[in-house]
Each structure stands twice: as structure tokens, then as C-alpha cells.
Amino acid sequence: MANQVAQRVYDFLKDIPPFHFVDNEEALLRVARRVEVQYQPIGTTVFAPGEPPRDRFFVIREGSVELFSIGEDGEERLVERLGEGEVFGIRPLLAEDNYLFLAKAAEESLLYAVNTEGFKELLPNYPQLTNYLATSMAGSSRYALEYQAARNREPEGNWGGTDYTGPDLLELQRVHRARPPITCTADARIVDAAKRMTEHNVGSIVVVDKKDHPIGIITDRDLRRKIATGLKSLDALITEIMNEPVICIRPDVTVADVQIMMVRYGLHHLVQTEDGTNKSPITGVISEHDLLVLQGNNPAVLVREISRAKTTAYLRSLRDRSERLLKVYLEREVSISFITSVMSSINDEITRKCIKFGLARMQADGMGNPPALFDWMTLGSQGREEQLLRTDQDNALIFEDVGKKRHAEVKAWFLKLAGYVTEYLHEVGFDYCPGDMMASNPLWCLSVGGWKEQFSFWMNENTRENMLHTSIFFDYRGVWGDGSLPGKLTRHIFTELEGKSSRFLASLGLAALDNPSPLTFFRNFVVERSGEHKDQFDLKARAMRPLTDAARVLILEARKGQVNNTFRRYETLAELEPQNAELYREAADAYEVLIRLRALIGLERNDSGRFIKPEELTRTQRLLLRNSFRPVREIQSLLEVRFQLNFLR
């Protein structure tokens, strides 16, 4: 009978995350045999806040469970309602801490209580489980602490054995031979180690034991931070400043694997050993500088290649290569802040190269050099440094005030240049904007004075159309030119806000509420009811735009210029408003989940990833998406209260 129960438990677990990562039937059956089946009548408590961690976590087999936070006044506040196949109470696996929430059965429920220790036994053999725990729940407030704990956990020193698979990134080039290691023993003095580094002209030295196993590493950076500053004496033992444990790699590891490890853990040196662990002899050291020599598809190398490109066809191929890089970054859970920085650098350099092509063509046409100072501005997602995929163009041009007599001639020159640039961007793969929000449109190629008048008009006449324009144009960022002109525009906007901030910001706040909760009363996704995307969920409009719109209006209220990125806006707001810091951080985490999901879907389908069919999402993706909606609702509630929007509807 016990075996039959275990088999039924196994049959259920094998198809749901995170258990579906375990492809060994016997291994998962061992977990299933230790599962305790629990019946919870409606209204009964599964666990309460403050209780010590248990030796189990829970999976809902049937029914539903609600999680509540308890306020200082004892009031229960609903955090999450969970259904069949969802996991909760997993804190004991990630942090030895008490339960934070009250868990109660919302209806008659059957739970599987999974033994924590038995589950932990799977982790060394299934790294996907660790990745799931560390990242798949990032958008849910109930897992915020666990997510942070997992993300910040120190590595154990054996990352060389992870079997990464993915597309042809960097042609999966093997490292093969790292630099011969320069080593010392633990009884060496810091001054002796520094001398050996100088003699061999290397930036690191590895501390080894008698068996030549690595136990620590010292780099130039450690010497600067800990010795040059006087924190430690040169005569101190090397063990006082060495970094441990050592992060090791196998001899046959790929360049891509090394790069991802360095990025994820903020490392500049990795140690190569015979078996990829710190329990075998050292064979070499690879540094960040070595990567630049070894690889030709590193982001820095890609940017350099873009700057040297001679044709838009080659630019397009480089952008294709960057998308392969993007795909692996996403699959390997590299932080979104790093990914957006890399892709923004690539997109910006492509834009600058297209402008150079345009300027060269103007010269060839006999038009000469620019007749005035100018800046090319990116708008929308690229302006926010969030454009991961090649969507349509949003750009504008601003040139210095030149006087009435020259204005028409100067504007005509820049319009012609803008036409060439947008044409080149189109050839690279950035579609023309359907709404013609491009610098080649005379409406969006203006002098400093013209742009000031335009923004003043938008801020004075708060029509729906004008609010739509602000959602695009207020995220401007200069990527080429004089560099000073966008700043003049920012100062003008803040001056205008002094006189009309309440009315204008309230209108922006109302626009941010245009898209209500993405879930129906029955917790289904709100989908389009007609048109080309009937029965599809609009990820951009329903989930991402409310967060970007809210961040924009709040950062404008705070008078913080040149903070365009949505993540950084929420980080800045968290610093400015400690009382709302938790909500802002949750909003940033939710936005990270959304932008990652959209990019993954877009790369898979070779489109923008904007519209998705809920039934095509995996269970994990649906969970991530749904959990990201709570910060959307709370941010919108904050706007309603702050700008008294209920009185304006």
C-alpha cells in the first residue's frame, strides 16, 4: 500500500516545478516515499508566523491555501492564494528562520508535505533545482527573502561540473589552456607573494596546500584595497588577505561558462584544476583579461567590432550575434541589470555607427558638416536602457537654437540626416515606428527652443494623446552629439513642474492606471477580446507599462533627472522613500521577471514577445507572471492615494 501511495505522489510531482527537473525516476521516488499526505479542512492553519522552520515544505495536491501577513494591529492581510501544484513553506530549505506568513486552507485541501532533507539530497546532482529556488520565485513577495538569500549565497567552490547547454555562443570555444599558475603556500608573507607576482608579471597568485590543491587566491585588487590602504602589514601572512573558497573550473570548460561565472559572482579570476574542484591539483588561472584575448564575441569585443563595421549588413550580423549572447544570459539567470547594460551598450553603439554612416553620406551628397550642435536621442525602451530585442524605432533629434533666419535651413539638414540614420537602423533590423515617432519626422526634429515649447504644451494640455506622448518622449536619452542639449531640456521640464506639478503629475498618474489588474476575479489572465491578438495576454500593456509609467511619474515628482531605467528609478525611489522601500524593491523585482520573460518568449518566437497565449506558458512561467502582478496593484494604489486620483476620475 505504501508503495502505491508513493507511486501516486511520484506521478503527480514529476510534472510540476521544481520536481520536473529530476529526470531520474528512482531519485524522485525516494523523495516521494518520504512525503506525508495531509488533509486540511477549510479554515485550518497549516503554519503560523513566528513558528520555527519544519523539516518539510508543502505542495498542494487538491484545493487551495491562502497566505496572510499579520499587521501590527493583528489584522490579516491576504498576500497570495495558491492552487493545485503550487509550492509553499519552502523557507526551511533556504534560510533557518521562522515562518513569515500565516497559511490557512481556503477550502478543503490535500497537501503533500515534502521532507526537506530528502529534497536537499537532490540539489548536488540537479543544479536546475537551485536555479529554480533562486530565481523562479523572484516576483513573489512571499519569497523575497528566500530569493535574496539564494542569490547572495556564496559558491561552494565546485562550479566546473555544471553541464551548461545552450546555443552556439562564442562558438562554445574551449579555454583549453589557462595561464600557468603562480602559487605560494599558506605560510608565505604578503610581501613575498607580492614580489612573486611582480617577478612573473601576473595579477594574481594562488595559495596552495602541500598537495598543490588551491585554498585561496590573492589579486592586485586585494593588494590595493588591503595593503596600500594600510589595513594589513606587508609582513602579515598571506592567509590574512586571501579570498576563499577558490572558485574552480575544469580544463575543458568553455569561454561562455567562464564569462557567465565571472559575471554572476563578480569575479575577475578563476582557478583551473584537474577535475574542476578545489580537491585536485591546480593547472592554471584564467582572468578577465585572458577572456578578451581568447574570445571574439565578448560584449566588449562586439562593441569594438560594431565601431569598426563598414556596412549595415555586418552590423546586422553583429546584432544577431548579440542576441545569441542574450539568450544564454537569460537562460543562465544572469542579472537583468547586467543584461540590459550589455544590450544597451550594443544598441547605442549600433545607433552611433548608423549616425556615422549618415554623416558620411551627407558628406558624399555635398551637404558638408552639421550646421549646428545636435544630439541624437533614443526614446521609449531604448531610452530607458531596457531594449533587449529589436523592436521598432523610437528616436528624436535636438539641435541648438540658431535664430529664425537659419532655422529652416538647419532643420532641413538634420531631417535629411535623420532620414538616412533611420534607414540604416531599419537595415540593421530595427523596424520603422508605425506611429512615426522618429527623428525623420519634422515633428520630432526640433531645436532646443522647439522642444521646450513642445514639452510645455504636453504639460499644459493634459489630453490622452499628450499623455501618450509623454510616456515615450519623457524617457529620452542622448547617445550621440554635443551631450549638453538633453540636459537643457531636463532643466526646462523641472522648471515647468514648479508651476504645474500637481495637475500634470496627477494626469500622468491617471494614465498609469489605464491598465487595471491583469487578473480577473477568478484569477485568470485578462486577455484581448478581439482583433489580431484575440485571447492573448498583452504583457507590455497589462503588466510592464503600469510599472514603467508609475516609475516615471514618481521620479518626476522627486525631480530626479537622468534616471531613466525602470530598475534604477525604483532603486532611487527606495532610497528617497524608506517607508515605501519594500514595495519599490518588489516592483523592481517584478519588472525584472517581466522583462526576462518577454525577452525569452520573443527570442523563442523571433518577435517582440509582447503578446502571449496563457495556455502556452509553462507552469513556472504562469506562476512568475501572476506573482509579478501584486506589486502592479500596490504601486497603482500608491498613485491613487498620493495624487488623489479617485477625485479626478
Side-chain angles (χ1 to χ4, degrees), residues 112-123:
Y112 287 162
V114 182
N115 181 273
T116 299
E117 291 304 317
F119 184 72
K120 280 183 176 179
E121 292 173 3
L122 299 173
L123 297 182

Side-chain angles (χ1 to χ4, degrees), residues 152-170:
N152 296 332
R153 182 178 298 157
E154 290 297 323
E156 297 298 327
N158 181 19
W159 293 89
T162 303
D163 182 20
Y164 287 125
T165 58
D168 187 25
L169 173 71
L170 316 179

Side-chain angles (χ1 to χ4, degrees), residues 255-493:
V255 170
D257 290 330
V258 171
Q259 184 180 349
I260 294 299
M261 290 167 66
M262 285 184 174
V263 168
R264 180 176 289 177
Y265 300 109
L267 301 173
H268 301 277
H269 295 78
L270 296 175
V271 174
Q272 194 179 68
T273 62
E274 289 182 357
D275 67 0
T277 77
N278 55 11
K279 304 300 182 185
S280 65
I282 182 174
T283 59
V285 175
I286 185 164
S287 70
E288 200 170 44
H289 173 74
D290 297 328
L291 280 187
L292 291 175
V293 176
L294 283 168
Q295 62 184 304
N297 228 6
N298 170 277
V301 176
L302 271 174
V303 169
R304 187 164 63 245
E305 283 297 299
I306 290 168
S307 69
R308 296 172 177 172
K310 303 298 184 185
T311 66
T312 54
Y314 186 50
L315 277 183
R316 188 178 186 114
S317 72
L318 291 172
R319 190 54 171 80
D320 290 341
R321 284 165 60 184
S322 73
E323 287 186 357
R324 294 199 293 273
L325 182 70
L326 168 65
K327 192 172 191 298
V328 174
Y329 279 164
L330 292 168
E331 290 174 345
R332 298 183 185 178
E333 302 294 347
V334 176
S335 74
I336 282 293
S337 61
F338 174 82
I339 296 174
T340 53
S341 294
V342 168
M343 297 308 294
S344 293
S345 296
I346 290 171
N347 289 333
D348 289 354
E349 191 60 33
I350 287 174
T351 300
R352 285 190 283 268
K353 192 63 182 181
C354 287
I355 294 170
K356 290 178 182 178
F357 286 161
L359 290 169
R361 188 168 169 183
M362 293 292 283
Q363 288 274 4
D365 289 347
M367 302 291 290
N369 294 319
L373 298 177
F374 78 100
D375 274 287
W376 185 275
M377 300 190 296
T378 61
L379 313 170
S381 61
Q382 189 178 352
R384 294 191 301 272
E385 298 178 86
E386 296 167 7
Q387 187 180 58
L388 300 185
L389 304 174
R390 274 176 287 193
T391 55
D392 57 275
Q393 299 180 44
D394 288 312
N395 46 58
L397 191 147
I398 181 172
F399 57 91
E400 66 176 329
D401 293 321
V402 293
K404 291 182 179 180
K405 290 184 178 180
R406 295 183 57 217
H407 183 273
E409 177 187 350
V410 169
K411 179 169 181 172
W413 196 99
F414 284 119
L415 276 173
K416 189 172 182 64
L417 169 68
Y420 289 155
V421 176
T422 54
E423 176 186 334
Y424 291 136
L425 286 169
H426 180 71
E427 292 175 3
V428 174
F430 295 92
D431 290 339
Y432 291 122
C433 176
D436 205 15
M437 304 290 187
M438 298 183 295
S440 52
N441 183 335
L443 292 174
W444 317 128
C445 178
L446 301 173
S447 65
V448 172
W451 276 115
K452 288 180 178 180
E453 291 178 7
Q454 181 64 76
F455 273 81
S456 294
F457 172 72
W458 286 333
M459 297 172 75
N460 281 302
E461 302 294 331
N462 304 147
T463 64
R464 178 173 291 273
E465 182 182 7
N466 287 351
M467 291 302 100
L468 173 62
H469 284 133
T470 61
S471 70
I472 299 172
F473 285 89
F474 270 69
D475 292 337
Y476 59 84
R477 182 171 58 89
V479 296
W480 169 278
D482 173 66
S484 66
L485 305 184
K488 293 182 179 180
L489 189 54
T490 300
R491 289 190 291 274
H492 172 75
I493 291 169

Side-chain angles (χ1 to χ4, degrees), residues 25-52:
E25 180 176 350
E26 181 54 38
L28 189 54
L29 267 172
R30 285 197 297 271
V31 173
R33 292 187 190 107
R34 302 177 69 173
V35 165
E36 177 185 327
V37 182
Q38 295 184 357
Y39 168 71
Q40 296 284 156
I42 186 171
T44 56
T45 297
V46 183
F47 54 76
E51 288 184 359

Side-chain angles (χ1 to χ4, degrees), residues 326 330 388-389 594-604:
L326 168 65
L330 292 168
L388 300 185
L389 304 174
L594 294 169
I595 198 170
R596 186 186 297 275
L597 179 60
R598 181 179 178 183
L600 280 168
I601 292 171
L603 287 171
E604 182 179 329

